[in-house]
Amino acid sequence: MAILPKQVKIVEVGPRDGLQNEKESVPAAVKTELVNRLSGAGFRNIEAAAFVSPKWVPQMATSADVMAAIDRRPGTIYSALTPNMQGFDAALAARADEVVIFGSASEAFSQKNINCSIAESIARFDSVAQAAKQHGLRLRGSISCAFGCPYQGEVSPESVADVVRRMRDLGCDEIDIADTIGVATARQTQTVMERAAREFSIDALAGHFHDTYGQGLANIYASLEVGISIYHSSVAGLGGCPYAKGATGNIATEDVLYMMEGLGIETGIDLDIVADAGQFISQFLGRKSASRAGNALAAKRAG
């Protein structure tokens, strides 16, 4: 039987990755409230903003307002997605603790969405990476379509390893392996994670799973078995990928926390507070939370 990590870091991505796809505008005050509720729950890392063109992601147009208004919890890293130097400068002005760059492990996805090769897309981040280091900011790399692509189908572990190497060489402190369209299975997950760990410290690799086929928790457990100890999740299961047709939400944070508690793995996060935050944002959006654990806890408290 595999020895699982004794503790894990959960990166909460709901305020950015979770909300970016919402068609109706979510006011900055609501986003701020959500971030504050989540930081109050004990998260050490919250993806709070994206400094991208509002033309492409209108929901993130209020990122500077949110970053200015949040109550910053000491010890919590507030991350921002930065696609270019303009985004980096905005993130720096907004006092982001970590900037996030991104690339695809799928050549077809890269060409279809940003009209350039994987190599070209990563090379474009060189100036952002250098600026992050100069200003003492953490740099995180996120690899999309690491298990499958809506255009080319399966993605090989070698393709993932190639992007991991490129991001490592840029100086990334942490690298996310993301199942953007939620097609990964447990054994495939282990194969990809083990291959990535040959290029970059396993302690700084993160799993980012979507639940399109209901395999998110299984893939997290499979990752735990090979020693991955950082996971991304989204409160109430918010999110998807605006550029990947058919991709449903991220794995719900409440469900991940419930599983970790059951396994005796420390997260430092209060599940009840997260469940309340999930109900808060779901009620604002006018729909039921996608978290089974969150809904079960809410029903239990309601009697």
Side-chain angles (χ1 to χ4, degrees):
M1 188 174 177
I3 298 173
L4 306 182
K6 290 184 170 57
Q7 60 183 39
V8 297
K9 181 174 90 168
I10 306 293
V11 180
E12 173 55 57
V13 301
R16 198 284 297 176
D17 195 20
L19 291 178
Q20 72 173 5
N21 219 15
E22 292 294 325
K23 290 182 174 57
E24 296 298 320
S25 179
V26 179
V30 173
K31 293 175 188 168
T32 300
E33 171 77 7
L34 179 62
V35 173
N36 288 343
R37 284 173 177 254
L38 293 167
S39 63
F43 286 97
R44 287 182 282 153
N45 196 327
I46 299 173
E47 200 170 274
F51 292 99
V52 296
S53 169
K55 176 184 172 185
W56 298 112
V57 190
Q59 192 64 253
M60 292 292 108
T62 56
S63 285
D65 298 329
V66 173
M67 291 293 281
I70 55 176
D71 297 327
R72 295 183 184 241
R73 176 175 169 264
T76 295
I77 295 166
Y78 296 91
S79 310
L81 196 73
T82 54
N84 48 38
M85 279 306 296
Q86 187 177 349
F88 176 83
D89 290 340
L92 186 65
R95 294 171 43 229
D97 303 297
E98 174 180 73
V99 293
V100 184
I101 59 175
F102 49 91
S104 175
S106 159
E107 200 65 61
F109 194 83
S110 186
Q111 292 286 357
K112 194 90 172 176
N113 287 309
I114 51 177
N115 300 312
C116 71
S117 69
I118 292 170
E120 289 170 326
S121 74
I122 304 298
R124 288 177 183 177
F125 287 116
D126 188 54
S127 56
V128 174
Q130 287 186 38
K133 294 302 172 185
Q134 286 167 6
H135 290 278
L137 299 186
R138 273 177 57 92
L139 178 68
R140 197 172 93 224
S142 190
I143 303 175
S144 63
C145 294
F147 300 91
C149 166
Y151 308 114
Q152 77 175 51
E154 195 170 327
V155 174
S156 74
E158 286 306 316
S159 295
V160 178
D162 175 63
V163 185
V164 169
R165 276 194 300 272
R166 293 176 189 277
M167 288 191 164
R168 176 198 67 200
D169 292 346
L170 281 178
C172 286
D173 298 291
E174 209 166 279
I175 298 176
D176 321 328
I177 309 297
D179 184 16
T180 309
I181 57 172
V183 295
T185 56
R187 185 161 291 173
Q188 179 192 18
T189 294
Q190 292 185 332
T191 299
V192 170
M193 291 302 191
E194 286 172 338
R195 182 64 189 88
R198 281 158 50 192
E199 307 296 337
F200 194 70
S201 170
I202 197 167
D203 295 332
L205 284 173
H208 179 124
F209 297 102
H210 285 224
D211 215 24
T212 313
Y213 286 84
Q215 301 299 296
L217 287 177
N219 292 333
I220 289 177
Y221 190 87
S223 300
L224 286 168
E225 288 190 323
V226 296
I228 301 294
S229 59
I230 307 171
Y231 296 96
H232 293 195
S233 60
S234 179
V235 64
L238 297 172
C241 177
Y243 305 112
K245 191 175 180 181
T248 53
N250 295 288
I251 189 74
T253 304
E254 300 93 317
D255 298 354
V256 176
L257 292 174
Y258 186 81
M259 182 176 82
M260 294 298 176
E261 284 191 9
L263 292 170
I265 296 173
E266 290 178 29
T267 64
I269 299 163
D270 189 313
L271 172 56
D272 287 329
I273 296 177
V274 178
D276 285 342
Q279 295 301 312
F280 159 76
I281 193 63
S282 298
Q283 285 166 13
F284 174 82
L285 295 172
R287 62 173 182 262
K288 189 177 180 181
S289 166
S291 167
R292 291 187 177 184
N295 290 332
L297 287 167
K300 185 177 179 182
R301 277 193 296 231

